[in-house]
Amino acid sequence: MPNHKIGNEGRMTTSGCPFGAERAYRTLDHPTEYGTGNGVATVATGDFNGDGNLDLVVANSAWSCPHGTVSILLGNGDGTFRPRTDFATGEVPIALVPGDFNRDGSLDLAVVNSLDGTVSILIGNGDGTFAPQVAFATGRTPSGISARDFNADGKLDLAVANAQDNNVSILLGNGDGTFQAHVDYAAGPGAAGITADDFNGDGKAGHRGGECEYVELLETKGSFPFCSATAMELSRRTWTPTPAASSRWM
């Protein structure tokens, strides 16, 4: 499978990683570089044009430019990609997640804009192109995003980590590509990344917010909302529970 390397020079490098039956280790092919926008911040994969091949989406934070973009590089199915197509986002897009937010069978994009304090929703047309962005408010300096069905209504919702506000914004999805106003839940200082999964095995997705020295687990109460947190000190081998870093919960 290909490896991807990104930087801020307006390009991305991919490397094939073939595995030979006669060898017990992997080797990298010569890298191939592809043009992107400026200030590359993150990359994700998805089949954005429905041809069965994985494509790439790159968030271009454009620190020295007036506006941010995402670049779509459609895959050819052989490890190579077509030239990029750019779509506008808000200011300083820093993280993104693909998902079918309007339930039409095509992948859409949710992109958090760190400078704006918004998340841009770009509805996919199913052919690798996207409708113009629609922005929804988050907390200040959003830095991470995850998409899951947090209230078990069959519609994708969004969880956004807000680094400046030290909290997580939940935006419940309406199933048509729009989202309700954000509801915030406290997290530890400098919440910069987030992931969502069923950490306690109850069939409900909670989040894990990434911070400098520890993570917090926010567990769901019933189908929604999040009600409790457990701070976990990070060590090399184990996580030892400590008192929660914040207690402002619904």
Side-chain angles (χ1 to χ4, degrees), residues 13 51 59 74 79 92 111 124 130 155 170-171 180 183 211 243:
T13 301
D51 64 355
L74 296 179
V92 190
V111 185
F130 294 83
K155 304 165 187 175
I170 300 296
L171 293 83
Q180 300 175 29
V183 178
E211 300 156 18

Side-chain angles (χ1 to χ4, degrees), residues 73-105:
L73 292 84
L74 296 179
N76 296 316
D78 59 0
T80 65
F81 296 86
R82 304 175 207 173
R84 79 181 198 264
T85 303
D86 294 342
F87 299 90
T89 65
E91 302 286 348
V92 190
I94 200 72
L96 59 82
V97 63
D100 185 5
F101 301 119
N102 62 347
R103 300 184 294 176
D104 67 350

Side-chain angles (χ1 to χ4, degrees), residues 42-123:
T42 191
V43 62
T45 60
D47 183 6
F48 299 114
N49 61 348
D51 64 355
N53 300 327
L54 278 180
D55 311 311
L56 298 175
V57 55
V58 181
N60 306 304
S61 59
W63 295 95
S64 60
C65 301
H67 300 290
T69 61
V70 291
S71 296
I72 300 294
L73 292 84
L74 296 179
N76 296 316
D78 59 0
T80 65
F81 296 86
R82 304 175 207 173
R84 79 181 198 264
T85 303
D86 294 342
F87 299 90
T89 65
E91 302 286 348
V92 190
I94 200 72
L96 59 82
V97 63
D100 185 5
F101 301 119
N102 62 347
R103 300 184 294 176
D104 67 350
S106 299
L107 280 179
D108 313 309
L109 293 174
V111 185
V112 290
N113 306 302
S114 183
L115 188 61
D116 286 353
T118 62
V119 56
S120 293
I121 303 299
L122 290 82
I123 297 299

Side-chain angles (χ1 to χ4, degrees), residues 91-250:
E91 302 286 348
V92 190
I94 200 72
L96 59 82
V97 63
D100 185 5
F101 301 119
N102 62 347
R103 300 184 294 176
D104 67 350
S106 299
L107 280 179
D108 313 309
L109 293 174
V111 185
V112 290
N113 306 302
S114 183
L115 188 61
D116 286 353
T118 62
V119 56
S120 293
I121 303 299
L122 290 82
I123 297 299
N125 297 318
D127 59 0
T129 66
F130 294 83
Q133 62 158 332
V134 177
F136 298 87
T138 66
R140 294 178 298 172
T141 318
S143 302
I145 188 169
S146 182
R148 289 292 294 267
D149 180 8
F150 295 117
N151 59 348
D153 65 352
K155 304 165 187 175
L156 279 179
D157 312 308
L158 298 175
V160 178
N162 303 305
Q164 188 172 349
D165 286 339
N166 303 325
N167 63 21
V168 172
S169 293
I170 300 296
L171 293 83
L172 293 180
N174 297 317
D176 59 0
T178 66
F179 292 82
Q180 300 175 29
H182 66 98
V183 178
D184 298 333
Y185 299 88
I194 192 166
T195 187
D197 214 327
D198 181 10
F199 296 110
N200 63 351
D202 65 353
K204 304 158 191 169
H207 343 144
R208 186 171 70 182
E211 300 156 18
C212 296
E213 296 178 353
Y214 59 89
V215 296
E216 284 186 340
L217 301 183
L218 284 67
E219 298 177 355
T220 53
K221 177 175 64 179
S223 60
F224 188 78
F226 298 89
C227 65
S228 62
T230 303
M232 313 287 278
E233 293 289 350
L234 289 177
S235 69
R236 291 185 178 179
R237 296 182 181 178
T238 62
W239 286 352
T240 303
T242 64
S246 179
S247 58
R248 182 169 65 84
W249 308 102
M250 294 180 63

